[in-house]
Amino acid sequence: MSTNKKIQFSKKRTWSHDLPISFLMQQGVENPGVLSLAAGLVDQNSLPAGITKQAFDELFTDPRTAKEALQYGTTAGSLALRSLLLKHLSRLEQKSVEEIGITVDNMIVTTGSQQYLSLLGEVLLDPGDICLVAAPTYFVFLGVLQGLGARIVSVETDEFGMRMDSLEATLAMLDSQGQLSRVKMIYLVSDYENPSGVSLALDRRKQVVEIARSWSREQRVFVLEDLAYRELCYDGPVVPSIRSFDTTGETVILTQTFSKSFSPGLRVGFGVAPDEVCAAIRDKKGNDDFGSTNFSQHILATALRENLYYDHVEYLRTVYREKRDCMLQAADLHFSNIPDVHWVHPRGGLYVWMTLPDGIETGFNSPLFQKAIHEDKVMYVPGELCYAVDTGRGEKEQPSIQKNHMRLTFGVQNLAGIQEGMQRLANAVKSFV
Amino acid sequence: MSTNKKIQFSKKRTWSHDLPISFLMQQGVENPGVLSLAAGLVDQNSLPAGITKQAFDELFTDPRTAKEALQYGTTAGSLALRSLLLKHLSRLEQKSVEEIGITVDNMIVTTGSQQYLSLLGEVLLDPGDICLVAAPTYFVFLGVLQGLGARIVSVETDEFGMRMDSLEATLAMLDSQGQLSRVKMIYLVSDYENPSGVSLALDRRKQVVEIARSWSREQRVFVLEDLAYRELCYDGPVVPSIRSFDTTGETVILTQTFSKSFSPGLRVGFGVAPDEVCAAIRDKKGNDDFGSTNFSQHILATALRENLYYDHVEYLRTVYREKRDCMLQAADLHFSNIPDVHWVHPRGGLYVWMTLPDGIETGFNSPLFQKAIHEDKVMYVPGELCYAVDTGRGEKEQPSIQKNHMRLTFGVQNLAGIQEGMQRLANAVKSFV
């Protein structure tokens, strides 16, 4: 006896269908011989097994500390960890804790920084509210915004990140349309942006805070600074965060994660926000899971306290620097003889952003993607996923979503895999030029 | 220069203010000498430090398995763990995996079962949609429903759990009000309900599935079965789950957690649902955190695979049985001479539900709560938190929210703490009779 009655899902359920990340993962599963330059995993071999063991052993030698790690934590996260995170930020910002001007109460530990991004969206955005993003930007966050029914408005970028003149122009346009009261935030991956590899220039970091403030006419416009790749810097200057220019701490909300710099399996990220926002996120998180895993937090706190973490990050930089160089060399070797193909040389992060000649599309349904995955056995992330669809405009009025880019990552493959993958990819591309 | 512009939060933010759980935790922090019979923590001393170490050592002896645990997992959770969860359910249901009629694809691993409850609410409930609950019921889930803007409608209970005649009558009432199309689910903690300690009688488990089906006229009405306390059974018969009566698997959604039976610090729970619901939850979780901690999942999978888990649960039952008996004996000793005070003898779980004489209120602002916390130095959960406010009715039309109950837990205190706490509480109560 089947009732077979239709399930009536919530309205927001319809906004989070068919996520590209699921499609990508599915492709990986269905095509086992495929070399993935797409997967956002980190380098398996350099994962901190030894350090985690050291931290675990230290925690579990004393039954008291072991049992604390196995008990419930609090919704905002372990106080010991949050205190260490303050010091961590102080070290990264090269400022004293006092100069940074935040306390542990401004911090919430989350299940990766992804959960922080999602929680912030939940507490700030009603359907139709506006978030400004770079074009291109982190496509998984675009999925979050879409799932909340938010309107996503893209801002032009160049080799120094989001263009401040375009940002001003976009805000002015929204104002003239009577939409300024709906603008809640400007999202920026300021260091080694996923996917473009570009970092926001120093002068723009200061400007964006001023711009957000000056347009906070009807309600506060936040800058959401995603520093997921901050610590994966391989060469060139390390630039202060956008947040460091927010002297009152009212405008910038910052998130970071230990997924890239330590272990994604621990799922520990965190965010820093003004008190009111922090309270809102804590309340929502209280309902959602009343706290991320305490066990992981205790492991990470031990690794941070003993400086094991910092040694590991140093090591990781040498590993990824070599892998980045390997991918850039392979690009030189296999792509430099293909006309009108160019790519960014990132100074950090995990991605190389490659641009193909104008007519060559890279999307899931493109001949290139299909040939690459089925014949050449290589996979990349189509660049078009990283450009937002603005639901405030008609289909034909979309600001040109660029379709001829690929996001390549040197994170997960070893050196041989990177070289082989780049050769396969060049083969695929050559069929279309 | 402060912009000081007002923050415009999302509408749903306003629905999750002032959670009672935060107030309770705050009271604990602010009154350090207070013995808490309120905190929902588990027994600290019996946490599985040794078993976790054994599982960890096994995982980390081999760098390959260590690094798998430290890498990203998938949104739905570790496949190895989900396969073990199938066997786990099969063991608990005393049926073969085939008889249970689910696969790993019906399962999603979450950050405690709390996250499963919250995700399910997100994908099913629009503001104004209706969830039926027992009166009293798990107050944290009431917070989740409130945070989603759902309407909560209470159904009467007796010593066998939710009354099926009241459930029918409530559904008929909602139908007559044209609200049947908004009824999305019936929430039940079927074993040793938090807070009442009552289990749903066997015949009612079958009936509730039939009732949900027969009222699935306009869209599917789900039964959400929360089996958080299932394995904490101390005596008396173990009853099959509600889900075991759902022959087509279309009506009942089941959640369980390892927070009570193993370690809340690992934050591993899971849920079982029909395919379509599972897909919706996976999509939402993909946006929210793309997977709970993989590390914890690998530890738990190892403990389950090696049967370390089952030995621990056996041990835990003896620990909690003794603590429950201790609390019941202390109740006999200190409360049996106070007229019109009675309490439930739970056969499992972590709670003793105590009823005071009609006129004695127990809420946060009641003289009893204030005296208990400030003078007698003991804390409980006011029973009224466990009764839903129906936003579909006016303030004066609320079905009598009962104000003379206390939820007491024997989870966190040791035997001496339980005895002392009960004595203090009796002192407080005696001042008001």
Side-chain angles (χ1 to χ4, degrees):
Chain A
M1 182 198 71
S2 165
T3 62
N4 240 349
K5 264 293 162 191
K6 201 170 157 279
I7 302 173
Q8 195 65 51
F9 287 104
S10 64
K11 200 173 163 210
K12 57 185 172 291
R13 158 58 179 148
T14 62
W15 299 328
S16 61
H17 258 294
D18 302 325
L19 300 172
I21 182 89
S22 308
F23 181 83
L24 274 168
M25 287 169 73
Q26 196 56 28
Q27 293 301 307
V29 172
E30 286 173 11
N31 300 280
V34 165
L35 259 172
S36 180
L37 301 177
L41 304 180
V42 297
D43 181 66
Q44 183 99 351
N45 196 44
S46 60
L47 282 165
I51 291 174
T52 305
K53 183 158 170 46
Q54 240 176 294
F56 180 90
D57 286 346
E58 187 168 323
L59 266 179
F60 273 66
T61 300
D62 182 349
R64 199 183 46 82
T65 53
K67 287 172 183 179
E68 274 170 18
L70 294 172
Q71 184 60 278
Y72 280 106
T74 60
T75 302
S78 148
L79 190 59
L81 176 60
R82 284 184 289 142
S83 304
L84 287 157
L85 291 179
L86 264 189
K87 285 188 197 158
H88 181 54
L89 275 185
S90 147
R91 184 176 171 139
L92 292 171
E93 302 279 357
Q94 300 178 10
K95 284 182 172 184
S96 71
V97 169
E98 292 67 36
E99 283 170 317
I100 297 180
I102 55 170
T103 73
V104 289
D105 292 330
N106 297 105
M107 263 180 186
I108 292 177
V109 178
T110 48
T111 305
S113 54
Q114 180 69 22
Q115 194 192 24
Y116 197 92
L117 296 175
S118 168
L119 288 167
L120 182 68
E122 292 275 0
V123 304
L124 278 185
L125 301 169
D126 278 320
D129 279 352
I130 295 168
C131 179
L132 282 78
V133 303
T137 193
Y138 177 41
F139 72 97
V140 179
F141 186 60
L142 296 178
V144 171
L145 293 172
Q146 229 177 289
L148 294 164
R151 180 180 168 196
I152 315 172
V153 178
S154 293
V155 179
E156 275 176 74
T157 61
D158 59 23
E159 68 268 39
F160 304 108
M162 186 185 277
R163 286 179 53 164
M164 293 300 115
D165 54 350
S166 299
L167 176 61
E168 285 273 14
T170 307
L171 284 161
M173 177 201 74
L174 290 167
D175 188 22
S176 73
Q177 292 169 353
Q179 292 290 301
L180 189 60
S181 66
R182 306 303 300 267
V183 177
K184 296 289 185 74
M185 56 185 176
I186 305 161
Y187 172 71
L188 284 158
V189 185
S190 35
D191 288 347
Y192 326 117
E193 165 122 32
N194 173 359
S196 67
V198 158
S199 293
L200 190 68
L202 182 62
D203 55 339
R204 295 189 188 177
R205 293 181 187 227
K206 198 171 171 208
Q207 284 164 35
V208 73
V209 177
E210 286 159 7
I211 292 172
R213 280 191 192 168
S214 73
W215 289 91
S216 292
R217 286 190 217 142
E218 315 213 7
Q219 88 298 326
R220 200 163 324 165
V221 176
F222 287 103
V223 174
L224 171 53
E225 181 177 32
D226 181 344
L227 282 169
Y229 302 95
R230 178 173 208 173
E231 291 173 83
L232 299 189
C233 45
Y234 313 133
D235 43 46
V238 171
V239 184
S241 65
I242 299 174
R243 200 197 169 281
S244 69
F245 298 103
D246 181 13
T247 47
T248 65
E250 287 172 313
T251 299
V252 181
I253 296 167
L254 171 155
T255 69
Q256 285 186 213
T257 179
F258 292 92
S259 292
K260 313 297 179 188
S261 59
F262 196 70
S263 155
L266 297 182
R267 298 308 282 123
V268 181
F270 68 97
V272 172
D275 293 336
E276 268 182 279
V277 175
C278 218
I281 290 178
R282 202 163 45 231
D283 283 348
K284 175 64 177 152
K285 189 168 166 62
N287 273 341
D288 281 3
D289 62 20
F290 47 76
S292 296
T293 165
N294 199 28
F295 183 55
S296 291
Q297 291 179 49
H298 281 243
I299 296 275
L300 187 69
T302 309
L304 278 166
R305 195 182 298 115
E306 308 293 322
N307 283 319
L308 302 169
Y309 171 78
Y310 295 100
D311 297 342
H312 181 71
V313 174
E314 267 311 316
Y315 157 68
L316 218 54
R317 287 190 191 115
T318 65
V319 170
Y320 281 126
R321 188 182 290 120
E322 190 183 9
K323 294 178 83 170
R324 177 204 56 180
D325 292 346
C326 173
M327 181 170 269
L328 292 174
Q329 280 157 17
D332 276 336
L333 185 64
H334 301 296
F335 285 88
S336 55
N337 59 349
I338 313 178
D340 294 324
V341 175
H342 43 96
W343 53 93
V344 173
H345 286 56
R347 294 208 308 250
L350 297 174
Y351 308 102
V352 169
W353 181 245
M354 188 173 269
T355 306
L356 300 183
D358 264 354
I360 305 185
E361 296 197 1
T362 60
F364 287 141
N365 296 318
S366 68
L368 174 60
F369 188 85
Q370 292 302 320
K371 179 173 187 301
I373 200 161
H374 295 298
E375 288 179 34
D376 301 288
K377 303 286 179 193
V378 63
M379 198 162 70
Y380 59 83
V381 172
E384 66 189 64
L385 300 181
C386 307
Y387 292 89
V389 174
D390 181 349
T391 47
R393 303 178 193 226
E395 205 177 321
K396 290 182 180 161
E397 296 167 308
Q398 291 302 320
S400 55
I401 291 179
Q402 298 182 26
K403 303 199 168 197
N404 58 328
H405 299 277
M406 302 187 288
R407 189 197 76 173
L408 311 176
T409 173
F410 49 85
V412 66
Q413 298 294 341
N414 60 22
L415 298 179
I418 291 170
Q419 287 163 339
E420 174 67 24
M422 291 299 275
Q423 185 169 5
R424 291 185 189 182
L425 189 60
N427 273 344
V429 170
K430 280 173 190 162
S431 323
F432 299 96
V433 289
Chain B
M1 180 196 72
S2 164
T3 62
N4 243 344
K5 261 295 160 191
K6 201 171 157 281
I7 302 173
Q8 195 65 50
F9 287 103
S10 64
K11 200 173 163 209
K12 57 185 173 291
R13 158 58 178 148
T14 62
W15 299 328
S16 61
H17 259 296
D18 303 325
L19 300 171
I21 183 89
S22 308
F23 181 82
L24 274 168
M25 287 169 73
Q26 197 55 31
Q27 292 301 307
V29 172
E30 286 173 11
N31 299 281
V34 166
L35 260 172
S36 179
L37 302 176
L41 304 180
V42 298
D43 181 66
Q44 182 99 350
N45 196 44
S46 60
L47 281 166
I51 292 174
T52 304
K53 182 159 172 43
Q54 238 177 298
F56 180 90
D57 286 347
E58 187 168 323
L59 267 179
F60 274 66
T61 300
D62 182 350
R64 200 183 45 83
T65 53
K67 287 173 182 177
E68 275 169 17
L70 293 172
Q71 184 59 278
Y72 280 106
T74 60
T75 303
S78 150
L79 190 58
L81 177 60
R82 284 184 290 142
S83 304
L84 287 157
L85 292 179
L86 265 188
K87 285 188 197 158
H88 181 54
L89 275 184
S90 148
R91 183 176 173 139
L92 292 172
E93 301 280 357
Q94 299 178 12
K95 285 183 173 182
S96 70
V97 168
E98 293 68 36
E99 283 170 317
I100 296 180
I102 53 170
T103 73
V104 288
D105 293 329
N106 297 107
M107 259 179 189
I108 291 177
V109 178
T110 48
T111 305
S113 53
Q114 180 69 20
Q115 193 192 25
Y116 197 93
L117 296 175
S118 167
L119 288 168
L120 183 68
E122 291 274 1
V123 303
L124 279 184
L125 301 170
D126 279 320
D129 280 351
I130 296 169
C131 179
L132 282 78
V133 303
T137 194
Y138 177 41
F139 71 98
V140 180
F141 186 60
L142 296 178
V144 172
L145 293 172
Q146 225 178 292
L148 294 164
R151 181 179 168 196
I152 315 171
V153 178
S154 293
V155 179
E156 274 176 76
T157 60
D158 60 23
E159 69 268 39
F160 303 109
M162 186 186 276
R163 287 179 54 163
M164 293 299 114
D165 54 349
S166 299
L167 176 60
E168 285 273 13
T170 307
L171 284 160
M173 177 200 75
L174 290 167
D175 188 23
S176 74
Q177 293 170 352
Q179 292 290 299
L180 190 60
S181 66
R182 307 303 300 269
V183 177
K184 297 287 184 76
M185 57 185 174
I186 305 161
Y187 172 72
L188 283 158
V189 185
S190 33
D191 289 346
Y192 328 117
E193 166 123 32
N194 171 1
S196 67
V198 158
S199 294
L200 191 68
L202 183 62
D203 56 338
R204 294 189 187 178
R205 293 180 187 226
K206 200 170 171 209
Q207 285 165 32
V208 73
V209 178
E210 286 158 8
I211 291 173
R213 281 189 191 169
S214 72
W215 288 92
S216 292
R217 286 191 216 142
E218 315 213 8
Q219 89 295 328
R220 202 164 319 165
V221 175
F222 288 102
V223 174
L224 171 54
E225 182 177 30
D226 181 344
L227 281 168
Y229 302 95
R230 177 174 207 172
E231 293 173 81
L232 299 188
C233 46
Y234 314 132
D235 44 45
V238 171
V239 184
S241 66
I242 299 175
R243 199 193 170 283
S244 68
F245 297 103
D246 181 12
T247 48
T248 66
E250 288 172 311
T251 299
V252 181
I253 296 167
L254 170 155
T255 69
Q256 285 185 213
T257 179
F258 292 93
S259 293
K260 311 299 177 186
S261 59
F262 197 70
S263 155
L266 297 183
R267 297 309 282 123
V268 181
F270 68 97
V272 171
D275 293 336
E276 268 183 278
V277 174
C278 219
I281 290 177
R282 203 164 43 232
D283 283 348
K284 175 64 176 154
K285 189 167 166 64
N287 273 341
D288 281 2
D289 61 22
F290 47 76
S292 296
T293 165
N294 198 29
F295 182 57
S296 290
Q297 291 180 49
H298 281 244
I299 296 275
L300 187 68
T302 308
L304 277 166
R305 194 183 296 116
E306 309 292 323
N307 283 320
L308 302 170
Y309 172 76
Y310 295 100
D311 296 343
H312 180 71
V313 174
E314 267 311 316
Y315 158 68
L316 218 54
R317 287 191 191 115
T318 64
V319 170
Y320 281 125
R321 188 182 291 119
E322 189 182 8
K323 294 177 85 170
R324 177 204 57 181
D325 292 345
C326 172
M327 182 170 267
L328 291 174
Q329 279 156 17
D332 276 337
L333 186 64
H334 300 296
F335 286 89
S336 55
N337 59 349
I338 312 178
D340 294 324
V341 175
H342 43 96
W343 54 92
V344 174
H345 286 56
R347 295 206 308 251
L350 296 175
Y351 308 102
V352 169
W353 181 245
M354 187 174 268
T355 306
L356 300 184
D358 265 353
I360 304 184
E361 296 196 2
T362 61
F364 287 141
N365 296 319
S366 68
L368 173 60
F369 189 87
Q370 292 301 320
K371 179 173 187 299
I373 200 162
H374 295 298
E375 288 179 34
D376 300 288
K377 302 286 178 193
V378 64
M379 198 162 67
Y380 58 84
V381 171
E384 65 189 64
L385 300 181
C386 307
Y387 293 89
V389 173
D390 182 351
T391 48
R393 304 178 192 226
E395 204 178 321
K396 289 182 178 160
E397 295 167 306
Q398 292 301 321
S400 55
I401 292 179
Q402 297 182 26
K403 303 197 168 198
N404 58 329
H405 299 278
M406 302 186 288
R407 189 197 77 171
L408 311 177
T409 174
F410 47 86
V412 66
Q413 298 295 340
N414 60 20
L415 298 178
I418 292 170
Q419 287 162 340
E420 174 68 24
M422 291 298 276
Q423 183 168 6
R424 292 185 188 182
L425 188 61
N427 273 344
V429 170
K430 278 172 188 162
S431 323
F432 298 95
V433 290

